[in-house]
Each structure stands twice: as structure tokens, then as C-alpha cells.
Amino acid sequence: MEPVASAVDKLKGFAKSTQDFANGVVSHWTGNPNRRNPIEILKRLQREAFSDLMKLRDRQDKVERILSFYKSSKGSPFQEASTHVRGEVDVLGALLFMDNDSQQNFSAIRRSGIRTGVHSRLTFETTIREKDTLVTEFVSNVTGHDDVLGSPLSLAKVLYAANISDWFSVAAIPVGAHCRDVGISTNSPHQKKALTNYSSLGPPLLNLCNGSAIGLMVRKSNIVASLAQFVSGLGMQPSSVGFTQCFSTFGQVVCQLSRSTKLSLLGIHQVPKFSSQEVRLGALAIPVGIFRRRNISEMTREASAPIIGAQTSENVPTGSIALMLESELDESTRIGGWFEMKRCNPRHLQWAVSIADTPDDEFGWGLSLGGLIQGPKSWDHFQVETFLNFNFGKRFSLQPALIYVMDGSTQFPSLMLRSNWSL
């Protein structure tokens, strides 16, 4: 019986194992296989994490919009402004070889435009709203008979330039406006190395200081135009009663003839306004009302009682017009010329031609010819200027120069030495 019992047990075990196998197969086909697949589990977790991240991103965007609205409504445009500070000390001395110290020789020196002395400049340039610029300039000049140790820095210029678009910009200068500030800049390195007015790359009218100004600039293709209005107080005139203010209109048109050549036409129209009343006004005050024409009866009463020692002054318009040509031969070599005519005397012609090679890190040189003509056969003034430029690093330069001046019957040479420190 034992063999029969063992055979029955084996059959029962085989039947049970067969049933377990069948149950496993059935449960595999009827159940969800993705629940135990690790790849599917990772995908499900990734979908849940992505959903949570998107919710957090939406909340972050809402917070950023609220903060940006708060900054734009209550913030200042200077919050993200960056300010660059530049300093410069320029020392220029001259050794004049003259026969005597007569007034005629001093007048010749003045007309030659030699600017000796110590000149210090501190400039703060702030970028506002990425495109606008605010420039504040402090200057200390030591010229003539002033103390050679120097004078304290004083505010010389405040300029705000707004670039509204790629073709239109506006500039406002409440203090220390020059025609060069609202003109079309040449960005010439030779301009900073000019020793006299004749060696400057531009006519003298660009250096005129006209008080306060507002100007605009328009660019179109290869033509750039600039227009500005100036108001300056000339103050009390010698031996006169009253004061004079000058209203000036400046304009410049630049045509890009080629990639390296520019032709500029510029001019200024000045109208002085004289008042017989002695008044004292503060800065940036323009008394327009007192310049109006008075009626005939009032003028007749004033004419019957003239003021002793008073001088009459007429509002005679003045001004000048100039033409300038500039060409770049390479990165550091420039050649240019200009001439300027006075409106009151068209025969008054001031001119200059200059060439300069002034690289930033190498030896440089320059040569200029200039003069003043008041008639077809009258050379009232003529001078030649040549200089060498030595750069010692990027902060210091030394510039020896030789100038020969012929002013009427006066002739004299001059040795000059200039040093410049940049901070």
C-alpha cells in the first residue's frame, strides 16, 4: 500500500503546482501590468512633479508682476543707473621768444589761441533707462595771473541727453552749454590734444559758451542734422546802464560722403537783447517781458530825460557760418580742415588745416596750418604748429610742440610743453 500512497501524494503535489501556475498566468493577463513596471512608475512621478513645478512657476510670475508694477509706479529711474567717473589734469606751459612786451605782442598771443595754465576736469556720467545719459562736469582752471596752486572745482556743465529712438534724440543743458555739446560729435582723439584754437578739429564757434540750451538731433541715412536754441546772460556792459542777454540759434548738418569722410555745414545766429533798466536776476531767469516794444509816448517821455553817462545799444544780430571737412586715413590718422566767416564782415575768414597721427599706445605727431584773412591781399594772422606725442601707459602723456606766429608785423616762435594725466 505504501507505493500506492506515495504515488497519490505525488499526483496531489503535481496538481497543486499546476493550479498555482495556472492562477499566476490568469492573474498576469487579467491584472494591470503597468503597476509593477519601474519605467511607468518613474513616468508617473515625473508627470506629478512637472505639474507641481508649473504651479510654482505661475505663482512666481504673479509675484514678479506685482513687484515690477510697484517699482515702476513708486521707484526712481536712478535705481539701476551706473555712474562712471573720469578725471583729467592738463598742464600747458609756453616759452615765448619775443623782442619786447608791447601790447601788440600780447594781442598777437591772444589771437594765436595759445591756452596755457593748469586745467582740471572731473566728469560724472550716469546712464539712465539704458539709453539716456546725465553728465555733470566740474572744472578748475588756472590761467593768466591766477594762483598757480589752483582754484577749487566749480560746476561747469550739466547735460541730459535722451535718445528717444535710433533716429531722434534730445539734449537739455541748463548750465555751461557750448555749441559742441549740441553739435554732431566727431569723437576725434586729436581734439583733446589740440594746443591752440587753430589746431582744434573744428571752427571756433563750436567752443562758444552760450549759457543754457536745448537741442535736438535727427538722423536719416547718411545725413545728420542738429538744431539748438541758447540763452545766455552777458551781464552789465562797461560804462552802461542795464544788462544784455543773448539769444542764439545753432544749426549743423553733416553729410557722410564716404565711410571715412564727413562734410559739415554749421552756423550760429546771435541776437543780443538790451534793457535800459538795471535789474539783478538769478541764474536761469529769462526776463522776456521787458524786451517787448514800448509805445511811442513812453519812449518820448524817456527821450526827454536822458541819463548822463548812459550808452545806447542796438539789438544788432551777429553770427558766423563755417564749413568743415574731416577724413580718417586709418584708426589713428586724421586729416581735416575748416573755415569760418563772420556775418558782420564776410571778408573776415578764419581757416585751418591739420593732420595728426595719435595712436593710444605709440609715438604720435601732428601738424597744422591756420590763419585769419580780412581781404584778398591781407594776411592779418598766420601760424604753423607741430607737435610730438609720447604716451606712457594709458594714464599719462607728454607733448612737446613748436609754434611760429606771424601777426601783422609781429613774428615770434614759441616752445610749448604739455602734460596730461587721466584718472
Side-chain angles (χ1 to χ4, degrees), residues 205 267-270 317-321 340-345:
L205 68 88
I268 186 170
H269 178 72
Q270 298 173 317
T318 60
S320 58
I321 187 171
E340 179 180 339
M341 292 187 301
K342 299 293 183 181
R343 178 181 177 182
C344 58
N345 184 12

Side-chain angles (χ1 to χ4, degrees), residues 244-405:
T244 302
Q245 287 201 349
C246 186
F247 294 83
S248 306
T249 302
F250 171 80
Q252 182 180 5
V253 178
V254 176
C255 180
Q256 189 83 29
L257 301 180
S258 64
R259 186 176 181 180
S260 60
T261 304
K262 296 179 181 179
L263 179 65
S264 302
L265 177 65
L266 57 158
I268 186 170
H269 178 72
Q270 298 173 317
V271 180
K273 298 292 184 178
F274 179 78
S275 173
S276 60
Q277 301 179 11
E278 183 177 357
V279 293
R280 297 290 182 178
L281 299 177
L284 303 179
I286 306 173
V288 179
I290 63 176
F291 294 147
R292 296 176 180 173
R293 295 183 178 272
R294 292 166 292 182
N295 53 46
I296 299 177
S297 60
E298 183 180 355
M299 294 178 63
T300 304
R301 290 194 302 267
E302 291 185 1
S304 61
I307 300 175
I308 299 176
Q311 295 181 353
T312 60
S313 176
E314 297 180 358
N315 300 334
V316 179
T318 60
S320 58
I321 187 171
L323 189 67
M324 180 172 59
L325 180 65
E326 177 189 0
S327 180
E328 299 180 4
L329 303 182
D330 53 37
E331 294 182 356
S332 60
T333 305
R334 292 173 180 258
I335 183 172
W338 55 264
F339 68 86
E340 179 180 339
M341 292 187 301
K342 299 293 183 181
R343 178 181 177 182
C344 58
N345 184 12
R347 293 185 177 182
H348 185 281
L349 179 64
Q350 197 171 0
W351 63 277
V353 178
S354 61
I355 181 173
D357 183 10
T358 54
D360 294 335
D361 54 352
E362 297 178 2
F363 167 79
W365 61 274
L367 174 67
S368 66
L369 307 175
L372 174 63
I373 305 174
Q374 293 190 357
K377 298 181 180 180
S378 175
W379 288 74
D380 291 345
H381 185 90
F382 177 77
Q383 69 182 53
V384 182
E385 174 185 337
T386 180
F387 69 88
L388 301 177
N389 188 73
F390 301 94
N391 291 317
F392 301 91
K394 297 182 179 180
R395 302 294 183 182
F396 178 73
S397 64
L398 193 63
Q399 192 177 89
L402 174 63
I403 298 178
Y404 188 80
V405 178

Side-chain angles (χ1 to χ4, degrees), residues 4 8 40 58 87 102 114 129 214 242 252 283 296 300 334 353:
V4 175
V8 172
E40 295 299 330
D58 293 339
S102 63
I114 298 176
R129 303 185 190 277
I214 183 170
Q252 182 180 5
I296 299 177
T300 304
R334 292 173 180 258
V353 178

Side-chain angles (χ1 to χ4, degrees), residues 162-170 216-219:
N163 295 315
I164 299 176
S165 64
D166 295 337
W167 59 272
F168 182 70
S169 61
V170 179
L216 55 89
M217 185 180 299
V218 179
R219 301 174 180 86

Side-chain angles (χ1 to χ4, degrees), residues 10 28 116 191 207 218 233 303 339 355 420:
K10 291 181 179 180
H28 175 74
T116 59
Q191 182 64 39
N207 299 321
V218 179
F339 68 86
I355 181 173
N420 181 272

